[in-house]
């Protein structure tokens, strides 16, 4: 197998034994090519295979000789890894149960293909072969990073913020208390309100922590209902961030809190039952005591 985590091509499902790869000569050559990078970009002319550009969200892995050590099942909606042999190349190269095989030598694998059809195609090819995998719809590196972030959030008592989570039309990844509203608002279609908010003293994201529904009613301009909702949601994010609860925004919104004004409806008895670390519960209790 390759020095870096190279692919373990799939074996058939339905109780069949994992397929044995055909030994090949010169395997050391692509050992050196991959180097120390766990999951390098693999495209162009690679070990005699002309590959198209590697798609985003796909990890390509090279497999040479030795047991594949992987079993797959065609679900009709994807080719899923259902077993990885402990001693096979799949285990060595960190292919996991639940991964999807989406490419074979740069050619997309139909999600409706059966496991038997796939193995027949695979075994008709000479080695090495290049397989494309996804894990939870992502490439392996991104999936691993997301898992680490979720684990860190769980350890801190804060539920993980879903990937791509947006508030007020702005991704939480972009939200920063120090960011100017002029840099954030265009993406949310809120630029027309910058001057009015500036007159209220709000120029940065952190300034929106003091924004309430009554403040928007006092603005000397008409605000579309959808935009009013966005502004108040961003006010909630700024407020919770200021209070040390930024990591809990998604969780708090999931219980029906979309603006700071809504906090008055949240009871301390509700907070006591929340799946949050006690530190966050205490901070939220303190907020409720001041906002009620």
């Amino acid at each position: 197998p390759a020095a870096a985590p190279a692919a373990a091509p799939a074996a058939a499902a339905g109780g069949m034994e994992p397929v044995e790869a055909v030994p090949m000569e010169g395997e050391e050559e692509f050992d050196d090519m991959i180097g120390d990078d766990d999951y390098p970009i693999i495209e162009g002319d690679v070990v005699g295979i002309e590959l198209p550009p590697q798609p985003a969200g796909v990890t390509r892995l090279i497999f040479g000789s030795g047991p594949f050590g992987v079993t797959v099942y065609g679900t009709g909606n994807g080719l899923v890894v259902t077993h990885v042999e402990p001693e096979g190349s799949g285990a060595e190269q960190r292919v996991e149960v639940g991964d999807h095989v989406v490419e074979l030598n740069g050619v997309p694998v139909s999600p409706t293909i059966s496991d038997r059809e796939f193995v027949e195609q695979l075994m008709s090819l000479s080695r090495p072969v290049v397989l494309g995998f996804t894990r939870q719809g992502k490439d392996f590196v991104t999936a691993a990073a997301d898992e680490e972030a979720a684990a860190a959030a769980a350890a801190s008592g804060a539920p993980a913020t879903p990937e791509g989570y947006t508030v007020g039309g702005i991704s939480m990844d972009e939200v920063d208390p120090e960011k100017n509203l002029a840099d954030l608002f265009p993406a949310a279609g809120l630029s027309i309100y910058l001057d009015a908010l500036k007159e209220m003293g709000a120029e940065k994201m952190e300034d929106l922590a003091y924004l309430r529904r009554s403040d928007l009613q006092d603005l000397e301009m008409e605000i579309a209902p959808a935009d009013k909702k966005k502004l108040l949601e961003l006010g909630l994010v700024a407020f919770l961030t200021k209070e040390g609860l930024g990591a809990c925004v998604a969780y708090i919104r999931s219980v029906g809190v979309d603006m700071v004004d809504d906090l008055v409806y949240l009871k301390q008895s509700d907070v006591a039952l929340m799946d949050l670390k006690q530190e966050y519960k205490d901070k939220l209790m303190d907020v409720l005591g001041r906002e009620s």
Side-chain angles (χ1 to χ4, degrees), residues 15 21 43 46 50 103 109 138-139 142 151 163 206 213 218 225 235 254 264 273 285 290:
E43 56 189 32
V46 179
E50 187 62 37
E103 279 190 344
V109 172
K138 309 160 192 170
D139 62 80
T142 301
E163 183 182 4
E206 61 186 359
R213 184 185 292 135
D218 294 338
S254 73
V264 298
L273 297 174
M285 290 280 200
R290 287 184 279 114

Side-chain angles (χ1 to χ4, degrees), residues 155-276:
S156 69
T161 300
E163 183 182 4
Y165 188 76
T166 62
V167 180
I170 297 173
S171 169
M172 281 295 293
D173 294 334
E174 297 296 321
V175 173
D176 182 331
E178 292 296 321
K179 269 195 174 181
N180 290 322
L181 298 181
D183 296 326
L184 288 170
F185 275 22
L190 298 173
S191 297
I192 59 174
Y193 306 110
L194 285 171
D195 290 339
L197 290 171
K198 186 175 181 179
E199 290 181 7
M200 293 174 52
E203 295 186 62
K204 293 185 177 182
M205 182 66 191
E206 61 186 359
D207 298 330
L208 295 181
Y210 306 98
L211 189 66
R212 303 294 185 271
R213 184 185 292 135
S214 58
D215 296 322
L216 296 184
Q217 293 171 347
D218 294 338
L219 287 182
E220 296 181 358
M221 65 183 300
E222 190 71 24
I223 304 178
D227 290 344
K228 184 179 294 186
K229 182 175 183 295
K230 288 180 181 179
L231 290 168
L232 291 172
E233 287 175 351
L234 291 170
L236 175 69
V237 172
F239 178 81
L240 292 176
T241 301
K242 179 175 74 73
E243 298 292 338
L245 291 164
C248 305
V249 168
Y251 185 92
I252 292 173
R253 290 192 68 217
S254 73
V255 299
V257 178
D258 287 319
M259 62 186 79
V260 178
D261 302 79
D262 291 339
L263 289 171
V264 298
Y265 304 111
L266 197 60
K267 296 180 172 59
Q268 293 192 351
S269 58
D270 298 327
V271 175
L273 297 174
M274 287 182 173
D275 188 19
L276 292 173

Side-chain angles (χ1 to χ4, degrees), residues 117-155:
E117 289 176 306
F118 176 75
V119 170
E120 288 175 2
Q121 289 184 18
L122 180 65
M123 299 308 295
S124 70
L125 301 172
S126 59
R127 304 300 187 266
V129 293
V130 178
L131 292 184
F133 290 86
T134 61
R135 181 169 296 160
Q136 299 171 6
K138 309 160 192 170
D139 62 80
F140 287 3
V141 173
T142 301
D146 288 350
E147 287 177 7
E148 288 179 8

